[in-house]
C-alpha cells in the first residue's frame, strides 16, 4: 500500500520549492530587462518546476502538480520573461504573483458589479441552469460516474470511454472551480470561467479557443501561437501565418499532455498517442479556418448553428474517445484513482481521529 504520509510530505516539499522559486522570480528576475537576460535568470526556476514533481508517485497529487506547476506555471513564467501572459502587468504583491502563477485561473480585466438590480429578476431558466451547473451538482455527477465504474466489466469499451470523457470534464470543472474560489478567498480576484458551455461550440476554433479550458488556451496563445505567427508572417506572409501557428500550438499542447500523463503521472516513457490527437485537431482547425475564409469571400449558404454544433461535438467526442481517452482505459486509470481516493479518505479519517483523541486528552 502507498505511504500516503510520505507522499503528502513530498507534495508539500515540491510546492514549497516552487513558492520559493516564484518569490525569486518576483523579487529578482522581474527587475531584469525583459527578453533573453530575464529568461536565463529563470533557469533555476524552470528546474524546480520541472524536476522535483517527478518525486511524487501518487496519481492524484502528481496529476495536480504536473498540470499546475510543470505545465501551466512553467509556461506562464516563460511568457513573463518577455512581459507577456497572465503575469504581465506584474501583480501588485507576492501573494497575487504566486496565486496567478500557480493556480489555473484567468483574472477578469473588467470585474462586474457585485450588486445586482432587483428590477430585472433572473429568469427561471437561468435559475435552473445555476442549480444544475452548481458545484454540488458537479460533485454529485462525479460520484455517480465513479459509482458506474463498478459495473465496467458489463459495459462496452466505447461506453466506458464516453464515461471517461464526461468524468474528465466534470473533474476539470470541479478542480478549476475550487481554484477560482481559493483565488477569490486569498486575493479577492474575480476570475473568468474556464469552461464556457463547450457543448455549444459551432466550430473547432470556437471550442478550443473560446470555450474549453481557457487558461490553457490563454497560456499557449502567449507562449506559442503569437510568437510563431509573428515569425511565420515574415517568412511566408501574413496570409498563411496562422497555419503554422495553429499547428505549433496544438503540437505543444499534445506534447505537454503526453509528458504530464505519462512522465509525471504514470512515470513511464511517453507513447505520443495524445500528441497525435492534438495534431489532428490542429490540422482540422487550420483547414476549417481556411474554409471559413473562402466561404465568407464567396458568401454562400451557411449551415444552421445547430448543425455546426452537432458536427463539432461529434468530431470532438469521436476522436477523443478513440484516441485521447484510450490510454486511460488501457492503464485502468479509474481503478488507480478509486484506490487512491480510498487511501486519501482513510488518511484524513485517521488524522481527524488522532486530533480528536488529543483534544479529548487535553480537556
Amino acid at each position: 500500500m502507498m505511504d500516503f504520509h510520505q507522499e503528502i510530505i513530498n507534495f508539500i516539499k515540491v510546492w514549497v520549492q516552487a513558492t520559493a522559486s516564484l518569490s525569486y522570480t518576483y523579487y529578482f528576475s522581474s527587475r531584469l530587462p525583459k527578453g533573453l537576460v530575464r529568461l536565463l535568470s529563470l533557469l533555476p526556476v524552470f528546474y524546480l518546476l520541472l524536476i522535483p514533481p517527478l518525486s511524487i508517485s501518487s496519481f492524484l497529487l502528481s496529476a495536480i502538480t504536473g498540470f499546475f506547476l510543470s505545465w501551466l506555471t512553467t509556461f506562464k513564467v516563460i511568457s513573463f520573461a518577455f512581459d507577456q501572459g497572465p503575469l504581465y502587468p506584474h501583480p501588485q504583491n507576492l501573494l497575487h504573483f504566486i496565486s496567478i502563477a500557480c493556480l489555473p485561473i484567468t483574472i477578469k480585466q473588467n470585474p462586474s458589479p457585485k450588486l445586482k438590480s432587483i428590477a430585472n429578476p433572473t429568469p427561471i431558466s437561468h435559475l435552473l441552469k445555476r442549480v444544475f451547473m452548481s458545484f454540488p451538482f458537479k460533485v454529485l455527477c462525479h460520484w455517480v460516474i465513479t459509482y458506474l465504474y463498478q459495473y465496467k466489466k458489463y459495459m462496452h469499451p466505447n461506453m466506458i470511454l464516453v464515461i471517461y470523457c464526461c468524468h474528465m470534464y466534470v473533474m476539470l470543472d470541479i478542480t478549476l472551480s475550487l481554484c477560482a474560489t481559493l483565488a477569490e478567498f486569498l486575493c479577492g480576484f474575480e476570475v473568468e470561467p474556464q469552461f464556457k458551455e463547450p457543448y455549444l461550440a459551432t466550430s473547432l476554433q470556437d471550442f478550443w479557443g473560446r470555450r474549453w479550458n481557457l487558461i490553457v488556451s490563454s497560456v499557449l496563445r502567449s507562449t506559442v501561437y503569437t510568437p510563431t505567427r509573428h515569425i511565420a508572417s515574415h517568412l511566408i506572409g501574413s496570409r498563411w501565418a496562422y497555419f503554422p501557428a495553429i499547428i505549433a500550438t496544438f503540437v505543444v499542447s499534445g506534447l505537454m499532455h503526453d509528458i504530464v500523463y505519462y512522465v509525471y503521472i504514470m512515470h513511464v516513457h511517453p507513447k505520443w498517442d495524445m500528441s497525435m490527437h492534438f495534431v489532428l485537431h490542429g490540422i482540422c482547425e487550420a483547414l476549417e479556418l481556411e474554409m471559413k475564409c473562402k466561404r465568407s469571400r464567396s458568401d454562400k449558404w451557411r449551415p444552421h448553428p445547430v448543425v455546426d454544433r452537432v458536427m463539432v461535438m461529434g468530431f470532438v467526442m469521436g476522436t477523443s474517445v478513440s484516441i485521447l481517452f484510450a490510454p486511460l482505459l488501457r492503464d485502468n486509470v479509474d481503478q488507480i484513482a478509486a484506490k487512491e481516493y480510498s487511501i486519501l479518505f482513510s488518511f484524513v479519517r485517521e488524522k481527524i481521529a488522532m486530533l480528536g483523541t488529543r483534544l479529548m486528552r487535553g480537556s
Side-chain angles (χ1 to χ4, degrees), residues 31-221:
R31 301 178 185 276
L32 300 176
K34 67 178 181 179
L36 184 60
V37 173
R38 189 186 297 177
L39 184 65
L40 291 175
S41 75
L42 292 169
L43 291 179
V45 178
F46 297 139
Y47 175 86
L48 291 175
L49 293 175
L50 294 171
I51 303 304
L54 294 172
S55 65
I56 302 174
S57 59
S58 162
F59 177 88
L60 299 175
L61 299 182
S62 59
I64 293 172
T65 307
F67 177 55
F68 286 18
L69 290 184
S70 302
W71 183 356
L72 293 185
T73 303
T74 298
F75 276 66
K76 289 178 185 178
V77 172
I78 291 173
S79 59
F80 166 79
F82 300 92
D83 278 349
Q84 301 292 328
L87 293 173
Y88 183 81
H90 301 174
Q92 59 184 357
N93 59 55
L94 179 61
L95 177 60
H96 287 191
F97 185 87
I98 293 176
S99 299
I100 296 173
C102 291
L103 296 176
I105 56 173
T106 303
I107 309 302
K108 276 189 177 180
Q109 299 302 317
N110 299 306
S112 58
K114 297 295 183 183
L115 297 178
K116 292 184 178 181
S117 172
I118 60 174
N120 299 314
T122 304
I124 297 296
S125 60
H126 285 190
L127 290 174
L128 291 174
K129 180 179 175 182
R130 282 184 188 176
V131 171
F132 285 104
M133 296 307 293
S134 65
F135 185 77
F137 182 73
K138 295 170 188 175
V139 174
L140 177 62
C141 289
H142 181 271
W143 180 85
V144 170
I145 292 172
T146 304
Y147 179 78
L148 289 176
Y149 285 145
Q150 300 179 32
Y151 303 96
K152 190 171 75 168
K153 60 182 179 181
Y154 303 110
M155 299 180 189
H156 190 277
N158 289 338
M159 177 59 67
I160 299 172
L161 287 172
V162 171
I163 294 176
Y164 272 144
C165 192
C166 297
H167 195 188
M168 184 65 66
Y169 171 64
V170 172
M171 283 190 66
L172 276 173
D173 208 359
I174 290 174
T175 302
L176 296 177
S177 297
L178 288 173
C179 292
T181 302
L182 180 61
E184 184 175 355
F185 174 76
L186 289 176
C187 307
F189 292 146
E190 186 174 356
V191 303
E192 298 280 0
Q194 295 305 323
F195 293 96
K196 294 185 177 179
E197 300 176 320
Y199 42 84
L200 296 181
T202 56
S203 65
L204 289 176
Q205 182 188 27
D206 186 30
F207 179 85
W208 290 114
R210 306 186 189 100
R211 294 182 179 274
W212 179 264
N213 206 355
L214 298 183
I215 180 60
V216 172
S217 300
S218 174
V219 169
L220 290 175
R221 188 177 297 114

